[in-house]
Amino acid sequence: MDNQNHSGIIRTLLAFTQAIIDTLLYWLSFSLIIYLYFSQKNMPGFNFEVRAFFTGTVLAVFYFNSLYDFKNWIVWDELKAILKSSVLVIMVIALYLYSQRFEISRFMISASIIIFVPLCLLARYIFRRILFAAGILSTNIIILGAGRTGEIFAETITSHPFTSCKVIGFLDDDPRKLGQNIAGFKVLGRLEDFEKIYSQYRIDEAAVAISTASRKLLTHILDMVEFHVRQVHYIPDMYMLTTFSASIRDVDGMPVISASQGLLNPFNRFIKSIMDYTGAVIALIIFSPFMIWAAYKIKHEDGGPALFIQDRVGWKTQHFKVYKFRTMYTDADERTKILFQDKEILHDYEKGIKLKHDPRLTKIGVKLRKTSIDELPQLFNVLKGEMSLVGPRPLIQSDVNLAYGDYIARKIYTVKPGLTGLWQVSGRSDIDRDIRREMNLYYIRNWSLWLDIVILMKTAYAVLSKKGAY
């Protein structure tokens, strides 16, 4: 308990330090906009009460959105919380300035927040990395369950440099896994060894990643760990029916879990369509020079058509023509037949694994695949209403049969196929068909506008890193 009290005091001091940094950055952003908008002589002055109100508003909103708890493991979650908090700050301060008749437009307040948000996120990232490197904010976490779910969880939280979690290792009752390395971490013992491991490594949090555990086993695990660690996390099967929209209510003493499917809401579909059309127009304007260059290089290399038009399965499993820049030789079909004589290549294809060195690709085709420029013509599919910016990828019928089957395909294509999707930003061609299918279902069950925004931002990173692009 002394360790937990000590940790609590440290976190309080760190939260106070973070609040000071946020305050300084907010006033830096606000002062910069004021300075740029007004001449020095006409700059409005703010007395102590006004400055205190502004500062208190920022800190109070950030506090009630848990931005001083250091609980977010992923930078996208922190960004979402900062954006949500900043919008509320804009509304409160704008209303206050309007009531006090200050000659400052709401545009200026919005502009100051636009500067503040990236500065705040960057400062928080640097602050966390410094603390993590010094071992101050590091959270030691033990994972109970060394199966696939536990492995994915370990890989996920360690792959994000924003997280302050340090995986100590696994506990698992499977004797074959004892002493083995899973995702780079050792299986330290059985579940019953928790107290010994807790004392040895100063465990702060525990993650239960046994998706098939019985109620009796889960109760036993909870009894074993809950009075030792600060938090216990339960990770269900990564792509099961659990959704982010799930909420727990108390109905006269009975806990009721409710979940909603966001894309069945007509208003959500309307908002997604607005984002699709707006994003497609902006993207076409930005990327049109690259598209002209790509078309020229394709024609110049072998004289064949610049575009490759193919029948794909789309919304409600209806077929449509998808547009891509041609990346293969014009006799690709004949080359494919020769390739598939190799049983190993055929097996990889049936698993959805692409060739890393595909002999069917032209020289320019290799570059277009690496940079994903070959996908840009699908922006016209988006404008035609056949595709969305984000969604499950449109597949040819034979791939749909291999990957999904009729029943799953009807579930997945209850939404429009997308230019990018969840699995594209989670490994692209390095992920096999089974995981892609589960990721597509996961996306549909957990859709939100923010999830689409995060996928689009991660797509930019995936394209720049070229990971999994063949």
Side-chain angles (χ1 to χ4, degrees):
M1 189 63 73
D2 290 338
N3 286 337
Q4 290 185 10
N5 288 335
H6 184 255
S7 176
I9 293 171
I10 291 176
R11 283 178 172 263
T12 300
L13 292 174
L14 293 179
F16 183 72
T17 305
Q18 183 67 72
I20 293 174
I21 294 172
D22 290 342
T23 301
L24 293 174
L25 289 176
Y26 175 76
W27 278 107
L28 173 65
S29 306
F30 193 77
S31 299
L32 178 61
I33 293 299
I34 294 289
Y35 180 82
L36 293 174
Y37 189 81
F38 293 96
S39 65
Q40 283 185 298
K41 294 181 180 179
N42 298 323
M43 285 177 62
F46 296 111
N47 57 32
F48 175 79
E49 288 79 10
V50 174
R51 291 178 179 272
F53 177 80
F54 282 15
T55 302
T57 299
V58 174
L59 296 183
V61 172
F62 273 45
Y63 173 78
F64 284 110
N65 278 296
S66 303
L67 278 165
Y68 297 118
D69 292 348
F70 300 101
K71 71 175 186 178
N72 288 331
W73 292 339
I74 299 175
V75 69
W76 309 113
D77 293 336
E78 193 86 356
L79 175 59
K80 180 181 180 181
I82 293 173
L83 282 171
K84 185 170 69 172
S85 301
S86 298
V87 169
L88 184 55
V89 167
I90 290 173
M91 294 171 63
V92 173
I93 292 181
L95 183 62
Y96 175 81
L97 291 175
Y98 180 78
S99 67
Q100 298 296 314
R101 301 186 183 281
F102 279 99
E103 293 184 4
I104 300 177
S105 69
R106 282 167 289 280
F107 169 77
M108 292 177 57
I109 302 170
S110 302
S112 68
I113 292 296
I114 290 173
I115 295 174
F116 170 69
V117 168
L119 283 179
C120 182
L121 188 65
L122 178 62
R124 283 169 172 264
Y125 173 80
I126 294 173
F127 188 47
R128 285 202 186 194
R129 295 313 299 169
I130 291 172
L131 295 175
F132 185 68
I136 298 174
L137 192 61
S138 177
T139 299
N140 291 340
I141 187 167
I142 188 79
I143 302 176
L144 282 69
R148 181 57 180 156
T149 300
E151 181 181 5
I152 293 174
F153 178 70
E155 290 173 345
T156 300
I157 63 173
T158 54
S159 65
H160 289 274
F162 191 78
T163 182
S164 59
C165 288
K166 180 181 179 182
V167 176
I168 298 302
F170 293 88
L171 296 179
D172 198 287
D173 283 343
D174 187 344
R176 295 170 299 178
K177 294 179 180 178
L178 295 179
Q180 298 295 315
N181 281 322
I182 306 292
F185 303 100
K186 193 174 181 179
V187 180
L188 300 170
R190 299 171 62 87
L191 298 177
E192 294 296 335
D193 297 325
F194 171 78
E195 290 197 24
K196 181 180 71 175
I197 300 298
Y198 167 80
S199 302
Q200 184 177 353
Y201 291 96
R202 192 186 63 80
I203 304 298
D204 299 304
E205 299 181 5
V208 182
I210 311 174
S211 57
T212 58
S214 65
R215 181 177 177 180
K216 182 179 179 181
L217 178 58
L218 287 176
T219 301
H220 173 67
I221 291 173
L222 186 61
D223 288 341
M224 184 171 58
V225 306
E226 66 176 340
F227 292 113
H228 290 84
V229 297
R230 187 169 57 238
Q231 277 189 312
V232 181
H233 310 282
Y234 175 70
I235 299 94
D237 187 355
M238 292 299 291
Y239 306 109
M240 64 181 289
L241 295 177
T242 303
T243 69
F244 289 135
S245 64
S247 60
I248 301 178
R249 292 187 298 164
D250 175 67
V251 181
D252 198 17
M254 177 181 292
V256 176
I257 300 176
S258 304
S260 60
Q261 220 284 36
L263 285 174
L264 290 181
N265 186 322
F267 180 74
N268 288 343
R269 286 185 180 272
F270 172 74
I271 294 297
K272 185 172 172 65
S273 296
I274 293 296
M275 187 174 77
D276 287 340
Y277 290 122
T278 304
V281 170
I282 294 173
L284 280 171
I285 293 172
I286 294 173
F287 294 114
S288 56
F290 298 98
M291 296 174 71
I292 294 170
W293 170 82
Y296 168 76
K297 296 294 286 185
I298 294 168
K299 291 290 292 183
H300 182 72
E301 181 169 344
D302 63 8
L307 285 180
F308 174 71
I309 302 174
Q310 190 177 44
D311 187 74
R312 297 285 182 98
V313 176
W315 188 34
K316 297 181 179 179
T317 65
Q318 299 298 309
H319 289 241
F320 72 104
K321 301 296 182 183
V322 72
Y323 308 125
K324 295 181 68 173
F325 282 122
R326 182 173 58 86
T327 57
M328 293 185 177
Y329 291 104
T330 52
D331 62 344
D333 289 339
E334 287 72 21
R335 295 178 185 232
T336 299
K337 293 175 183 177
I338 297 172
L339 271 177
F340 283 177
Q341 290 176 6
D342 186 322
K343 300 300 182 184
E344 186 176 343
I345 292 177
L346 180 60
H347 176 265
D348 286 346
Y349 170 77
E350 291 174 347
K351 292 287 292 180
I353 302 172
K354 290 187 178 181
L355 288 174
K356 292 188 177 182
H357 304 287
D358 195 331
R360 297 170 299 174
L361 295 179
T362 62
K363 291 180 180 179
I364 185 60
V366 173
K367 295 179 181 178
L368 296 180
R369 289 274 185 98
K370 283 285 186 183
T371 57
S372 296
I373 291 176
D374 63 314
E375 308 285 358
L376 289 178
Q378 289 165 46
L379 290 168
F380 291 107
N381 288 116
V382 175
L383 290 178
K384 290 172 66 178
E386 297 167 334
M387 290 181 63
S388 179
L389 291 179
V390 182
R393 286 294 293 158
L395 300 175
I396 61 175
Q397 186 63 57
S398 60
D399 282 350
V400 170
N401 295 339
L402 279 171
Y404 303 143
D406 227 22
Y407 174 70
I408 298 296
R410 286 199 301 272
K411 293 177 68 174
I412 287 178
Y413 291 114
T414 53
V415 300
K416 291 179 183 178
L419 189 62
T420 185
L422 187 58
W423 67 260
Q424 281 89 345
V425 299
S426 305
R428 301 171 82 182
S429 298
D430 290 334
I431 295 177
D432 66 32
R433 273 199 175 97
D434 292 338
I435 299 297
R436 292 181 199 176
R437 178 184 63 243
E438 299 305 320
M439 283 187 168
N440 282 331
L441 289 170
Y442 179 86
Y443 168 78
I444 294 166
R445 292 171 182 144
N446 294 282
W447 178 88
S448 69
L449 188 61
W450 179 250
L451 180 58
D452 274 5
I453 292 171
V454 168
I455 289 174
L456 288 172
M457 289 190 289
K458 292 178 75 173
T459 296
Y461 172 77
V463 170
L464 291 174
S465 67
K466 301 178 182 178
K467 182 182 178 182
Y470 315 133

